[in-house]
Amino acid sequence: MSASDVLERLDLKYREDTLKVRVRDGVELYYESTGDGPVVTTLNNFFMTTPTWRVLTDDLANDHRVISYDLAGHGQSTHPETYPSWAQHAADAIALLDALQVEKTYLVSTSISTVLARDIALTYPDRVAGIVLAGPALGPKGMRRHRQIQRAWLLTLENHGMAALYNHLYPEVFGADMNEELGTPGFLGLRESFLALSTKEDLANGLNLALTGETSPELLKQIQCPALVVIGDDDILLSNTGARELAEHFPKGGYEIMPGAGHLPFLDDAMGFQAIVRKFVAEAEAGA
Amino acid sequence: MVEARARIRALLLDMFGPDSFVTELADTVSLREGGVSSAALVSLLVAMEDEFGFEWQDDVAPEALRSISSLAGHVASLPA
């Protein structure tokens, strides 16, 4: 499924029978749960919402239970007065699993939410069967480069607004192949989605949080569950060598390179990405 | 402008059918709120390139894509 196919099938509407779970005082999370089998929970980066995942996980949901949810402070979930910390986001995810009676899950994370996947795996190791880090914000030697990029995005957002942020991040996030394939109409259509998905305040909160938290790659050595780094070979934020070195930090780490894909490789090749996740889960289940 | 609005509406009717929500869609209403998805917007933009003989540019303002009326305004602003 190419980027054009994904865009054609992208449905950003929330379900009318809104599903929400209370995870702590005053905070409810919107979620969707589809399919049966090993549980795969998606973790949004700050630019994604739950509906975006449908077209990216529909094949996986044929033989897995896929849970997607909006982080607190984003989408249809509660926007608490104080934006959550990383630890609160992690605790929210566990509270959601508790409410859905999920004992253990695989986490599929993307970009900055790879930090959240790391933190959940470190803090709640008994609840995590494995983690997939797609286009990770984590680096093999640290996170300085990602922090600089996040800070630049934040400055663009604060000084020039949402459309300017989109212009800024589009060529950094999407690979050259996808950029050429979608052309200007695709660029403009995705911009329309981008502007509809989030508010400036939500994104600023997320980007500010992205500038905080632990950055040491040494933490990854403590993660005992299987971990898979997935990058596109046109991800300008992490090289193929960097992906291999990052994977080597995990006691049970591996990596996959998706040809021609960018920082969000599941958009370039949704079926290919799901096949990678399916194989990872199957191997982890076989070794469990 | 009037003619451009009618031609854009005709493109939407081609995409969604003669009995669709497009018949009730006011010229100034947000296309998204009216029921035009991002994918449909992309198709509309491509169809407009063929219909009006121009190519979209990356720097077009988001407001230009908001409604039938604003799209027609963009067409009208193009050099002859």
Side-chain angles (χ1 to χ4, degrees):
Chain A
M1 194 192 315
S2 68
S4 297
D5 296 328
V6 168
L7 180 57
E8 193 170 322
R9 296 179 52 221
L10 191 61
D11 176 10
L12 300 176
K13 291 195 197 78
Y14 282 88
R15 288 183 180 168
E16 290 185 6
D17 55 333
T18 300
L19 303 165
K20 288 191 177 176
V21 155
R22 180 180 172 281
V23 291
R24 53 189 158 97
D25 281 349
V27 176
E28 291 185 329
L29 301 184
Y30 173 93
Y31 77 95
E32 296 181 6
S33 175
T34 311
D36 288 306
V39 180
V40 174
T41 303
T42 63
L43 298 176
N44 292 346
N45 59 53
F46 299 127
F47 301 103
M48 293 179 75
T49 54
T50 297
T52 320
W53 283 105
R54 290 181 203 137
V55 68
L56 304 172
T57 56
D58 52 1
D59 186 63
L60 199 60
N62 287 326
D63 46 11
H64 297 73
R65 181 181 181 187
V66 177
I67 297 171
S68 298
Y69 72 101
D70 283 351
L71 299 167
H74 297 272
Q76 291 294 303
S77 290
T78 303
H79 286 56
E81 200 166 314
T82 303
Y83 187 77
S85 63
W86 283 120
Q88 282 172 320
H89 278 309
D92 286 349
I94 296 302
L96 173 68
L97 296 177
D98 288 343
L100 300 181
Q101 298 181 312
V102 172
E103 190 179 335
K104 215 160 188 174
T105 186
Y106 294 87
L107 299 173
V108 173
S109 56
T110 151
S111 191
I112 194 62
S113 75
T114 57
V115 173
L116 181 56
R118 176 201 66 187
D119 290 354
I120 295 171
L122 284 170
T123 312
Y124 307 97
D126 294 341
R127 307 299 295 274
V128 181
I131 56 176
V132 176
L133 311 164
L138 306 167
K141 296 179 176 66
M143 293 176 60
R144 279 182 51 78
R145 191 183 200 182
H146 275 89
R147 287 278 170 89
Q148 289 162 348
I149 289 170
Q150 301 280 356
R151 189 175 293 110
W153 288 354
L154 180 60
L155 286 172
T156 298
L157 176 66
E158 289 177 336
N159 294 325
H160 303 288
M162 297 271 287
L165 173 61
Y166 178 82
N167 289 342
H168 185 160
L169 63 79
Y170 189 91
E172 294 180 347
V173 166
F174 298 117
D177 289 356
M178 181 171 164
N179 203 332
E180 296 295 340
E181 179 188 342
L182 296 181
T184 296
F187 171 85
L188 297 175
L190 275 177
R191 184 180 68 183
E192 211 274 341
S193 300
F194 177 82
L195 297 176
L197 278 174
S198 300
T199 66
K200 181 179 176 181
E201 184 183 4
D202 290 354
L203 291 186
N205 284 335
L207 289 170
N208 272 305
L209 181 66
L211 298 175
T212 70
E214 296 289 338
T215 60
S216 171
E218 294 303 308
L219 287 171
L220 307 178
K221 298 186 191 309
Q222 300 170 28
I223 293 178
Q224 293 305 315
C225 66
L228 181 67
V229 175
V230 183
I231 68 159
D233 69 1
D234 195 15
D235 184 342
I236 65 168
L237 307 181
L238 187 65
S239 68
N240 292 1
T241 301
R244 177 177 53 78
E245 291 175 350
L246 181 64
E248 287 172 354
H249 281 288
F250 294 93
K252 297 177 188 170
Y255 70 100
E256 290 273 357
I257 311 292
M258 294 180 66
H263 183 55
L264 306 175
F266 42 82
L267 291 179
D268 296 85
D269 181 3
M271 287 299 285
F273 181 76
Q274 290 174 88
I276 287 170
V277 175
R278 173 176 282 110
K279 179 168 172 276
F280 171 71
V281 171
E283 289 176 354
E285 291 286 292
Chain B
M1 277 282 283
V2 174
E3 186 209 348
R5 283 201 295 263
R7 289 165 69 186
I8 293 166
R9 182 177 295 281
L11 294 174
L12 285 168
L13 287 168
D14 282 346
M15 291 167 52
F16 290 100
D19 300 322
S20 66
F21 66 92
V22 177
T23 57
E24 305 288 328
L25 185 65
D27 285 348
T28 54
V29 163
S30 156
L31 291 171
R32 167 169 290 279
E33 289 167 14
V36 178
S37 68
S38 300
L41 177 63
V42 172
S43 298
L44 175 64
L45 297 180
V46 172
M48 284 182 66
E49 288 184 331
D50 294 336
E51 176 71 16
F52 295 100
F54 74 99
E55 288 189 359
W56 290 101
Q57 301 298 315
D58 284 356
D59 61 357
V60 64
E63 297 74 29
L65 310 183
R66 185 177 181 278
S67 65
I68 291 174
S69 196
S70 63
L71 286 167
H74 179 77
V75 172
S77 72
L78 295 170

